Amino acid sequence: MSWQGLLSSLKNLLSYAMLATVAPLAPKAHQPALPALPKLSPEEEKLELQDKLGRYIQGMRETFIRDLSTSNELLTEVSQYYAKRPSKLMRPRLILLTALAVNASVGERDALPQQVRLAEIVEMIHVVSLLHDDVIDESDTRRGDLSAPSKFGNKNSILAGDFVLGRAMSLIAALENFDAMREIAGVVTTLVEGEIIQAEDSIALGEKAKVGQAADQWGSYMERIFLKTGSLFARALRSTAMLSGLPSDDERVLAVGDYGTELGLAFQIIDDALDFKETSADSAGKPTGAVDLSLGLITAPVFYALEERPDELAPYVSRKCSEPGDTAEVVRIVRETSALPRTYALAAQHAQKAREALQVLPSTPARDALEALTMKVLSRDH
């Protein structure tokens, strides 16, 4: 192209540019906004919540079982033994409900993938505690079936527990949130601390009972159930909230942690009361209570019964229900006192504190479900 041709082209471009500044392009036609989604009724919101929770739980459980698979058939069978049993999966449900309740406060309607993964991690840690506890407590059965140690032996149960713990730790690293990772990793240390305190209480019980000081272990009992149940719930729920993007000192993180602590305490106190409730086993002459006492551990119902009938109950406590008929007598004494109503009242106090802690969160079906869970804990019968 000649210089003259190039100059002519530049002049044309300049003319177009000037026209563009004088006569701008017509604005785009107005696009009407999309209509807002219809507001769901309270009943529809509940159904939506149930549907979400069901999908999360189903997906989590499938991944959970798959993550406990190995190339070794025996290790896989032992690791999955408790995981494959029918279960309400309370801990994963608790985490996922908390995720939905907290996420609503940051404009998110669903649980995040990391939160669903956290639910799996916590259930893995729970399985580890079952495998190890049944060895420590020499339990022959669990929920009416053979315990893992009874079926596979102590060694295989311990090794499987270690394997599951290793899998859980590897999944924690994938959460990619340092505060949440540190919080949930602390669950394992507090569980071990709880076991050590339990062992110390067992050793000390006999001597204390002989001199009428068994009630001195009340503080140790509360610390023990916090470390073994309350702390797990608290740490898991704080981690859940932090995975929403909240800092560790955010009031919502602290609130769900308080909720977890109080719910965990209520859960364990009711669990201890159920040992002394009348069951179908009673008709067969096999009372279910005082199992912990035979291990050298005093729980809330026995503490309260000791306050009312110390002289009658102390001998059984001192010898840890080691003689024939001891367990039946302890159950009888506990039932004849106000120990069980007082135990339920104590659990109700913690459940109320749990509900109060949730008021920091916005009112949503998920928060309502968390509040309702405190009542279910109090009314459960197994």
Side-chain angles (χ1 to χ4, degrees):
M1 179 182 291
S2 66
W3 284 105
Q4 290 84 354
L6 180 59
L7 182 60
S8 176
S9 297
L10 288 172
K11 286 181 178 179
N12 289 335
L13 286 172
L14 182 59
S15 298
Y16 290 139
M18 291 176 67
L19 285 171
T21 58
V22 175
L25 294 174
K28 293 182 179 179
H30 176 69
Q31 296 291 332
L34 292 174
L37 291 173
K39 184 175 176 60
L40 298 178
S41 68
E43 189 60 35
E44 288 172 327
E45 287 182 333
K46 285 184 180 180
L47 291 174
E48 182 186 50
L49 176 64
Q50 291 172 2
D51 179 63
K52 281 184 180 180
L53 197 58
R55 285 187 283 108
Y56 293 147
I57 289 292
Q58 180 63 28
M60 185 228 75
R61 191 167 188 273
E62 291 173 358
T63 305
F64 179 43
I65 298 297
R66 185 171 63 248
D67 285 342
L68 295 184
S69 300
T70 76
S71 58
N72 185 286
E73 291 185 7
L74 176 60
L75 181 57
T76 297
E77 185 179 5
V78 184
S79 300
Q80 295 178 348
Y81 184 61
Y82 289 139
K84 284 186 172 180
R85 288 189 179 184
S87 170
K88 294 180 180 178
L89 295 173
M90 177 183 176
R91 290 156 191 82
R93 289 179 186 277
L94 183 59
I95 288 169
L96 293 168
L97 282 173
T98 300
L100 292 170
V102 173
N103 289 0
S105 71
V106 295
E108 175 62 56
R109 293 188 61 177
D110 297 312
L112 302 175
Q114 300 98 311
Q115 292 168 325
V116 179
R117 180 64 87 175
L118 178 64
E120 178 190 355
I121 292 169
V122 171
E123 190 63 13
M124 280 188 176
I125 294 174
H126 175 56
V127 167
V128 172
S129 72
L130 298 182
L131 288 166
H132 286 177
D133 281 359
D134 283 349
V135 173
I136 294 169
D137 297 340
E138 300 179 352
S139 300
D140 295 326
T141 61
R142 177 169 288 279
R143 294 179 182 173
D145 206 346
L146 285 177
S147 67
S150 294
K151 187 175 179 67
F152 303 105
N154 287 345
K155 181 178 179 180
N156 287 330
S157 295
I158 292 172
L159 291 174
D162 293 344
F163 166 75
V164 177
L165 180 59
R167 279 289 165 91
M169 292 299 104
S170 67
L171 294 177
I172 288 174
L175 292 177
E176 298 182 349
N177 181 304
F178 180 75
D179 287 336
M181 291 162 58
R182 180 175 57 186
E183 191 74 70
I184 203 64
V187 167
V188 179
T189 60
T190 54
L191 285 173
V192 174
E193 287 178 39
E195 285 293 344
I196 294 297
I197 291 175
Q198 181 169 299
E200 291 174 341
D201 285 352
S202 177
I203 294 170
L205 177 60
E207 288 304 315
K208 284 182 176 291
K210 288 177 184 177
V211 295
Q213 295 177 343
D216 292 348
Q217 287 189 308
W218 181 265
S220 182
Y221 164 70
M222 293 302 296
E223 183 181 9
R224 186 173 77 238
I225 65 174
F226 165 72
L227 290 173
K228 296 192 69 176
T229 308
S231 178
L232 186 150
F233 284 15
R235 286 180 177 273
L237 299 191
R238 283 198 296 266
S239 297
T240 302
M242 285 187 278
L243 289 174
S244 297
L246 301 176
S248 59
D249 59 352
D250 187 276
E251 65 174 352
R252 289 160 289 185
V253 174
L254 301 177
V256 296
D258 290 343
Y259 169 83
T261 294
E262 300 298 339
L263 182 71
L265 293 176
F267 180 89
Q268 188 58 55
I269 291 168
I270 292 297
D271 204 54
D272 293 336
L274 290 175
D275 278 345
F276 295 89
K277 294 279 285 186
E278 292 188 22
T279 68
S280 58
D282 293 337
S283 61
K286 299 176 182 178
T288 59
V291 173
D292 286 316
L293 190 55
S294 67
L295 298 173
L297 303 171
I298 300 182
T299 57
V302 178
F303 277 119
Y304 286 132
L306 274 169
E307 288 181 7
E308 297 181 32
R309 293 162 70 169
D311 294 338
E312 189 175 355
L313 192 54
Y316 302 110
V317 173
S318 178
R319 60 177 179 258
K320 303 178 184 178
C321 290
S322 58
E323 297 182 7
D326 281 1
T327 297
E329 281 302 297
V330 170
V331 171
R332 178 186 64 79
I333 294 169
V334 168
R335 289 177 180 172
E336 289 177 356
T337 67
S338 63
L340 287 178
R342 293 172 71 186
T343 299
Y344 274 87
L346 176 64
Q349 291 174 16
H350 288 288
Q352 176 61 31
K353 290 179 181 178
R355 290 191 295 276
E356 291 171 356
L358 290 175
Q359 302 315 303
V360 168
L361 301 177
S363 179
T364 61
R367 194 191 81 175
D368 292 344
L370 288 172
E371 291 180 0
L373 189 57
T374 66
M375 303 308 296
K376 289 182 180 179
V377 163
L378 296 178
S379 62
R380 69 193 184 97
D381 56 7
H382 63 278

